[in-house]
Amino acid sequence: MGRIFKNIVVQPGKLRDFLYESFVALTKTVLMCGTALALGVMPGPSRGNLWPIFNPQVYGPEISTYITDPYTFLHYEDGIIAYLLWGWWGWTDPPFTTPFKLSPMEKAIWDDFGGLLLGLIAGYLFEVAENSDYVINEVRANHGTSQFYQGDSRLNSFVDILALGIGYSMTKVCFEYGLGWFPVLWLVISETISFLTFRDNLLLSLIQLIHPMEWIKNYQEGLVPDHLKDVMRVGYWNNKLRDSPNEFLNKLMHSPKAQNKFATYSREHLHLTFSFLDKRCLI
């Protein structure tokens, strides 16, 4: 019984440390990303949208243009994975010990700053790669909800890297206080919830990028409303060029295949489809 009460007393201290480390990660990340944003080197084809702060929709031209979206949670997972890969290199106690011969000062620097900095740099390079033509075309061709994807906005990229930094910090604090199981459990639960809700996660994204599977694409497509699903099937999946929504609409409206496809649709249904796309052409 005494041990239980002892653990209860320690909890506020763990919470304070967690909040402190999260604040440190937030500060370091904001400084790094803010500098990159100010210098104009933050990746992304556009600034993005400030409101709403969170956009739950994962289909349509507005994908990854708002500050946060469901994929922000996956970047939080990236922070957990980053710590599991190299964050513990400064450790001197079990269960992990550093694989390198580091001086006490080097271990302290790595533990306090180096590991997080490496994670933020990795996140930044990932955002650069994610906004490349090759990755954008692969995502549009193989993800069931991303046929209008045009890359992450600069604001979205900023917050994605921020989420990685906070995920890294949370994992660091948990391991320091004997709660290393928590971020691992979080990772498993987050992957599962993401799979069931917006039908994507780190594992599915990796599979679709390396070895695309049709059943995954079809499963993801189930989230797309019918009035957009047929638009995508008309030819957008096979379009390897990064047409803007306006350009795609022009092609669609003059395509015999599209006209045959939509021949059975009512005028109201078609108006809903085109108005949905047209309102998002300015993103």
Side-chain angles (χ1 to χ4, degrees):
M1 182 66 69
R3 180 178 298 178
I4 295 176
F5 284 107
K6 181 180 179 181
N7 289 337
I8 293 176
V9 172
V10 172
Q11 293 302 319
K14 291 180 179 178
L15 178 61
R16 284 195 301 271
D17 286 336
F18 169 77
L19 294 176
Y20 170 76
E21 291 293 343
S22 296
F23 174 76
V24 170
L26 180 67
T27 302
K28 293 176 181 177
T29 309
V30 167
L31 288 175
M32 176 182 172
C33 299
T35 301
L37 192 64
L39 294 175
V41 296
M42 183 63 68
S46 64
R47 187 197 70 168
N49 299 282
L50 290 171
W51 191 263
I53 295 176
F54 177 77
N55 177 35
Q57 189 168 296
V58 293
Y59 57 83
E62 73 275 28
I63 298 173
S64 298
T65 61
Y66 291 86
I67 296 177
T68 62
D69 54 39
Y71 287 96
T72 306
F73 296 100
L74 301 190
H75 289 278
Y76 187 85
E77 293 180 25
D78 289 336
I80 298 175
I81 294 174
Y83 188 85
L84 295 177
L85 289 176
W86 60 71
W88 51 272
W89 287 359
W91 281 29
T92 56
D93 300 320
F96 302 118
T97 55
T98 178
F100 307 106
K101 293 181 179 180
L102 303 176
S103 67
M105 179 176 293
E106 289 172 334
K107 291 177 183 177
I109 292 175
W110 179 262
D111 189 54
D112 293 337
F113 185 74
L116 175 61
L117 179 60
L118 180 59
L120 297 180
I121 292 175
Y124 179 84
L125 294 177
F126 176 84
E127 292 296 324
V128 172
E130 191 175 31
N131 281 282
S132 67
D133 284 343
Y134 173 79
V135 173
I136 289 174
N137 287 332
E138 287 298 308
V139 169
R140 288 166 59 163
N142 300 311
H143 279 67
T145 59
S146 301
Q147 284 67 51
F148 296 98
Y149 178 65
Q150 308 231 11
D152 291 4
S153 69
R154 288 188 287 275
L155 284 173
N156 187 265
S157 295
F158 175 89
V159 176
D160 285 347
I161 300 173
L162 194 66
L164 185 152
I166 296 175
Y168 182 100
S169 178
M170 183 274 290
T171 306
K172 176 177 179 288
V173 175
C174 287
F175 270 92
E176 285 180 347
Y177 287 87
L179 299 173
W181 56 269
F182 180 74
V184 176
L185 179 62
W186 182 293
L187 185 63
V188 173
I189 293 177
S190 179
E191 283 285 276
T192 303
I193 293 177
S194 298
F195 176 84
L196 296 175
T197 54
F198 64 97
R199 304 192 182 189
D200 204 358
N201 56 29
L202 293 182
L203 181 59
L204 293 184
S205 296
L206 185 62
I207 292 174
Q208 291 304 90
L209 188 61
I210 297 176
H211 185 69
M213 295 186 179
E214 194 67 22
W215 74 267
I216 295 178
K217 181 175 173 179
N218 292 336
Y219 172 68
Q220 294 170 335
E221 183 197 358
L223 287 177
V224 181
D226 290 337
H227 66 277
L228 283 181
K229 194 176 299 181
D230 282 322
V231 173
M232 294 177 177
R233 284 177 173 169
V234 164
Y236 211 83
W237 269 326
N238 298 320
N239 179 13
K240 299 300 181 181
L241 300 175
R242 291 177 58 184
D243 292 337
S244 68
N246 266 327
E247 292 171 330
F248 175 64
L249 275 178
N250 289 333
K251 289 183 179 180
L252 187 66
M253 295 174 68
H254 295 89
S255 167
K257 183 177 180 181
Q259 294 171 4
N260 292 335
K261 185 71 178 180
F262 292 120
T264 58
Y265 281 66
S266 67
R267 182 179 298 274
E268 291 75 18
H269 197 159
L270 290 178
H271 177 73
L272 175 63
T273 299
F274 295 135
S275 62
F276 174 90
L277 294 172
D278 188 56
K279 287 178 181 178
R280 288 157 176 80
C281 289
L282 300 177
I283 292 176

